[in-house]
Amino acid sequence: MFRPCWHDHSFLDALANMSKMTEPGPHLFTPGLPGGTARRSSLRRASLHLTDPLMRKLQTFSTSELKTRQKKIESLSLELGMHFNLPKNSAVMNNDWQLDILPFVIPPGEWKVLEAGLIQRMRAFGRFLSDIYSGQRIFKDRILPYELIFNDPGFLRQCVGIQPGAGEERHLILAAVDLVRDQEGQWMATQQHCSIPMGLSHVIQHRRMLNQSFPELFESMNVQPVFSFSTELVEALSNLSDKPSPHIVLLSSGNIQENDFEDTFLARRMGIAVVNPGDLIVREGRVFLKTIGGLEQVDVIYRRALSRTLDPITFGAKGGSGIPGLVNCARKGTVAIANSIGNGIADNKSLLRYSDRIIQFYLGEQAILKSVPTYICADRDQLDYVKANRESMLLKPIHQEGDLNRIYRPDKRAEYQKKMELLLEQSPEDVVAQPYINASTASRFENGKMVPRPLYLRAFVLLGSNPIVLPGGLTRQSIGSDAHRYIADLSSGAKDTWVPAHEEKTQKKRQPIVSKQSGLVPRDFKIASRVAESLYWIGRYTERAENTARMVRIMDEFGWKQLGRSQKLNLWPLWQGVAASTGNHELLKKSDPPRDIHTFGLQLAVNPKNSASIPYCINIANQNAMEIREYITPEVWAIMSRLQLIVSDIPSLKEADSTTLQELCLKIADAIAGFNGTFHRTMPHDESWEFFQLGYLVERAICTVTMLDTVLSRALINLEPGRLSDPDLTVLLRLLGSLDAYQREYRSRTHPGQVAELLWRNHQTPSSVAFCCLRLSYSLGNILQMGKIEPSASEPYQTIKTLSNHLESIRIATLFPQTAFDEDILLPVRRANLKQMVKRVEQEGSRLQRMLSAIHEQIEDDFFSHQTRVEQPTLL
Amino acid sequence: MKFCIVHHTEYHYKHPASESYAELRICPQSSSSQKVIKRKLELNPVTLVDDYEDYLGNKVEFFSIPYRHNRLVVRASAEVETIPFQPPKEALDVSIGEARQIFHSQMLHLYPFVQPSRHVPLHKVLAPLKKNFIKPSEPIGEAVLRINSWIYETFDYKPGTTDISTPLAEVIRRKRGVCQDFAHLMLSILRTYELPARYVSGYIEAYDPTVTDKALIGATASHAWIEVYLPGGYWWGLDPTNNQLAGERHVHVAFGTDYQDAAPLKGTYKGAQDQELEVMVSVKRRKK
């Protein structure tokens, strides 16, 4: 009899033949006690005894039923992808890692040995990392050639001397080891991951998916659970800090990659927040998370971004992205980073050749788990050997930094071999070779048949004061072509991995972990500043785009060429207003309008170089949305796509005529109205939503104030005696979408004072500054309340209040005295009064603009960039 | 000689900068060739400064400025006494071939100083010069001095024609640059011949007040030169820009494999791109 996992006969045939067989068939493996053939039969019996129930269970299902279960797994996989908002071509969505209905069962005896070997190995490598970043005893004692380490870009010299916390084994917390099992049943390590081990989320997902689609299998035996591993991980991270309840975050690279899924998944299970480098800042030698509630100190960072990208000052990356000063904080010990910065060096494949020596050197023990024979092609003799045995060798890049990283990619399997050959010729020092191992196989359910496939296991080791190995791991299998077997990373089949719990003997009692986190309320996640900031700018830019679209359309409708000179002069201040409120302040100085206003308007609207143009605004809004895509609902995304589509048509509109321009503006206005509505309807109305409100309200208020400031004074200057109602002011009202509001309120011709009254002080007109202030106050109040901050302590809140009060106090009658308009008054006197009035109006306008700018800055300082406010410091 | 040194750096930002963070390598340390008597660091805006020693032995001061500012001023003043120090003749007389052998046994500590680095490529970059710089039989002192002079004679000192992003190949092609470039060039030559050498950033006295001398180049900003490793453990300083040994008129501040490791100020900030930088260094000899 034989275990269903370890043969290459067809499984069902084998079952049928079970009773007839007395001898083991070819390619049979028994649990691997190295070289222990004597105990073979008893072990075999034990293992059969073990998997008997599983086999029996499987027998009770027909092939078509098995197919149904397989389909269930596939649909669960798809669901998973959608739940995590994965990009369309990620592996999980495409079912690239196809989970098999058959689990891979590792017998407890075998597991025990493997477990001990893994823990021993990673303890040794933990000390190795500690040593090469401090005293470097291993080089001084000539155990390892230092060139191998010094030539690896993963060795970060700047980190020498940084000792993360007391105790030797703090560098390495979570490691993964890729394993293969040969025909004699011997497990061997082929690769290590000591920097960012990946795949943990898949292990947990696979268990869940199998449980959901084929729960009957689990009735056949007691399988050790994997779900608690994330808790253990959090505990281990927590123990890195001295604080009783440390603030732990998962630091993700922020790039939209497959890793994102794992980062988010793990963080959720662990109950910690995912942050990007942009969310963290270093102040006074400590690391802080920027939240809308202020700066929160971070004590432990679970690092899942490449070391070299983390600190531009220390590692000199261009562009300054990362967290300047992070390494200095690690150096001072104010933050613990796991796995440590610089761990990538332990992934250097040449170390596999020295693993026995490393274990001996640091632990004084013989290695339980060996590495696959590894040949370092930098060495002449080894290179010759590799070349002589080319056919039986598998080539791998020695490390995975820089250029070498681009070769070793699962989606480019076909090119991989070719590239490695080339590399061997051109720079052998970048290559290691391992002989092909005829890996143990396990049956896989493919298209209704059981097919034997080689398998590779990635095991996960958690170090710390109480090292454990995840019971199970990530089992991969190559599906199809033989040539790529033994390249675990390029295999696309997966299996749930089972380690049975002991039945008679109770499991070795693990000390119940006195959880540091126990008894405490789960941490309240404050919205990261980055998220708030992105939403704020989305609000501002969508409002800006809408304003530009509306105003350009209205102005363009007037035409230009056919207008008389005085008409043009009347309209020009309005164009200037549009320009000013869209940021083009230079035009304010021109008293004469350009010849071709239509082109002018067109440029305002569609030239992406103009910071208020429609394409510019929509693109920035989109970029901001991309950075926080996990916060944006699918409905809002749909509209965002529509906006992008409209914008993508724009470059063809360089010479568009009026009709086309106006159509475009209408489309944009419609789409943005849809955007606002959908945003309101589908986004949760939490603090992040309030920041969106703040954004568009601030933008709107600034637009109104700028328009008024520009137009009013100019219109007033051009005011002809006796002409109280100017078409200019009517147009102004239209530009701000408030003509109807005016007419309802005043039922009369436009009067400058009344226009100012409506747009500065009216509480019900949506374009009015007072209206915006009211809403700003409300939204900001909500934010402060959710963050439990006193409004009196909030500077922007106070400034908004001051502005509201100021608006209340404006006396329109004084500002726009009748004496400037009264036809009875002598012309020169009236003119003088008019001049004074204009001056005061301009002053008022400037004051309002300043206050609004201050509000914006204070919001930025308080919630986004966390700048403290200080008086201008005295000069030295 | 005793010197009073002031190193004044000023950044002006057109739009206010925020989230500013910087590391400074402008603190001279005492050694066999100099004694630091006094030293003061002033910052404007005023902020907390912390420090550490980096893996090259440089004293690094760092700070962050948590509020908006339009100006950043860093002013370091020090009083340093230089001590005339030269390696013994025996070290200089060792032949290159023998020296290389000796270095091999110490390579663990010297490794980074014989490797290429970001600003110092080796081998191929020197090909256009079509020159064999070293013979294994000659004494190391002579050979290195010869390279020092050769750079001085062959290359033009022309400030403004290069900046820190100019690759060494370009400097070699145009045969001109500034002290950084010459230091990098010399490092490239020495390392190509497997002689460990390091970059030195520091100050130099411009005018010798006792002699109406030609002004030494490198006065108004930090100066750069190199040190080559000699058998016996001596780091020997040479200044190719001025065709001199690094002597009593040189004050060293930071070491590195190249400019990147020893840059006087490395910092980031958030804000608009446009910033103006002014650097002023004054080195005044004090009467004893």
Side-chain angles (χ1 to χ4, degrees), chain A residues 146-147 150-151 157-158 283-284 290 313 316 324-325 328 331-332 857 860-861 865 867-868 874-875, chain B residues 18-19 21 23 44 48 50 52 55 62 64 66-68 71 107-108 111-112 118 266-268 270:
Chain A
Y146 53 77
E147 292 94 342
F150 291 167
N151 285 340
R157 208 169 275 282
Q158 297 90 334
R283 289 272 173 85
E284 289 162 25
K290 297 193 268 185
I313 304 240
N328 287 341
R331 193 193 313 273
K332 282 178 71 108
E857 253 186 41
E860 268 206 340
D861 283 351
S865 57
Q867 302 299 293
T868 57
T874 51
L875 299 171
Chain B
S18 60
E19 292 189 36
Y21 184 91
E23 269 194 0
N44 186 348
L48 280 172
D50 203 343
Y52 71 95
Y55 71 99
F62 61 96
S64 46
Y67 39 78
R68 281 177 221 280
R71 212 165 74 113
M107 209 30 97
L108 178 59
Y111 201 76
R118 181 143 132 197
K266 286 193 234 185
T268 60
K270 253 196 191 165

Side-chain angles (χ1 to χ4, degrees), chain B residues 27-82:
Chain B
C27 186
Q29 311 234 65
S30 297
S31 70
S32 46
S33 59
Q34 68 192 35
K35 193 167 95 173
V36 178
I37 301 164
K38 265 200 282 191
R39 199 269 181 165
K40 185 165 73 154
L41 177 69
E42 294 158 292
L43 294 179
N44 186 348
V46 178
T47 180
L48 280 172
V49 179
D50 203 343
D51 62 74
Y52 71 95
E53 189 176 292
D54 73 10
Y55 71 99
L56 292 155
N58 301 319
K59 177 160 175 200
V60 186
E61 291 155 310
F62 61 96
F63 59 89
S64 46
I65 301 176
Y67 39 78
R68 281 177 221 280
H69 53 284
N70 281 82
R71 212 165 74 113
L72 171 61
V73 179
V74 177
R75 192 183 172 88
S77 29
E79 211 174 287
V80 180
E81 184 168 349
T82 55

Side-chain angles (χ1 to χ4, degrees), chain B:
Chain B
M1 298 172 193
K2 222 187 211 181
F3 295 105
C4 246
I5 304 168
V6 176
H7 184 158
H8 183 103
T9 310
E10 235 180 90
Y11 281 95
H12 284 268
Y13 309 101
K14 191 152 164 227
H15 300 277
S18 60
E19 292 189 36
S20 178
Y21 184 91
E23 269 194 0
L24 302 168
R25 282 169 173 79
I26 52 175
C27 186
Q29 311 234 65
S30 297
S31 70
S32 46
S33 59
Q34 68 192 35
K35 193 167 95 173
V36 178
I37 301 164
K38 265 200 282 191
R39 199 269 181 165
K40 185 165 73 154
L41 177 69
E42 294 158 292
L43 294 179
N44 186 348
V46 178
T47 180
L48 280 172
V49 179
D50 203 343
D51 62 74
Y52 71 95
E53 189 176 292
D54 73 10
Y55 71 99
L56 292 155
N58 301 319
K59 177 160 175 200
V60 186
E61 291 155 310
F62 61 96
F63 59 89
S64 46
I65 301 176
Y67 39 78
R68 281 177 221 280
H69 53 284
N70 281 82
R71 212 165 74 113
L72 171 61
V73 179
V74 177
R75 192 183 172 88
S77 29
E79 211 174 287
V80 180
E81 184 168 349
T82 55
I83 305 157
F85 172 83
Q86 287 298 313
K89 192 165 179 303
E90 303 82 63
L92 294 165
D93 283 343
V94 176
S95 75
I96 297 268
E98 216 181 302
R100 286 204 274 235
Q101 296 255 19
I102 298 172
F103 297 152
H104 265 291
S105 62
Q106 303 173 328
M107 209 30 97
L108 178 59
H109 310 284
L110 300 171
Y111 201 76
F113 302 112
V114 289
Q115 295 299 307
S117 68
R118 181 143 132 197
H119 295 284
V120 182
L122 307 184
H123 301 289
K124 249 177 33 184
V125 73
L126 300 174
L129 293 167
K130 295 199 176 68
K131 192 170 162 69
N132 186 24
F133 286 97
I134 276 174
K135 288 192 280 280
S137 55
E138 32 168 358
I140 188 170
E142 260 177 51
V144 174
L145 265 173
R146 193 161 38 80
I147 297 172
N148 201 35
S149 302
W150 178 84
I151 293 178
Y152 178 76
E153 279 143 25
T154 318
F155 285 73
D156 281 327
Y157 178 79
K158 275 219 160 72
T161 55
T162 60
D163 62 40
I164 196 52
S165 64
T166 311
L168 191 58
E170 171 90 2
V171 173
I172 289 174
R173 192 170 65 86
R174 309 289 280 282
K175 299 259 179 347
R176 63 183 193 202
V178 291
C179 53
Q180 248 150 244
D181 304 310
F182 303 148
H184 287 151
L185 175 60
M186 186 145 181
L187 290 174
S188 178
I189 295 171
L190 294 169
R191 289 179 189 166
T192 298
Y193 287 89
E194 294 170 56
L195 299 175
R198 65 186 181 182
Y199 181 98
V200 186
S201 135
Y203 310 115
I204 184 173
E205 187 198 31
Y207 293 89
D208 183 342
T210 64
V211 182
T212 42
D213 211 358
K214 182 172 79 116
L216 286 179
I217 297 167
T220 53
S222 284
H223 188 42
W225 61 95
I226 64 106
E227 281 183 358
V228 65
Y229 190 76
L230 299 174
Y234 304 100
W235 283 101
W236 191 37
L238 293 118
D239 183 351
T241 312
N242 289 301
N243 194 16
Q244 289 207 334
L245 294 178
E248 284 185 88
R249 294 169 75 188
H250 288 75
V251 173
H252 64 78
V253 175
F255 302 106
T257 56
D258 63 20
Y259 171 79
Q260 187 66 28
D261 292 334
L265 187 151
K266 286 193 234 185
T268 60
Y269 67 92
K270 253 196 191 165
Q273 278 282 53
D274 40 15
Q275 40 154 311
E276 275 168 32
L277 170 62
E278 273 172 53
V279 179
M280 195 272 302
V281 173
S282 95
V283 178
K284 290 199 175 73
R285 199 191 293 202
R286 275 245 173 291
K287 295 209 179 29
K288 287 228 181 139

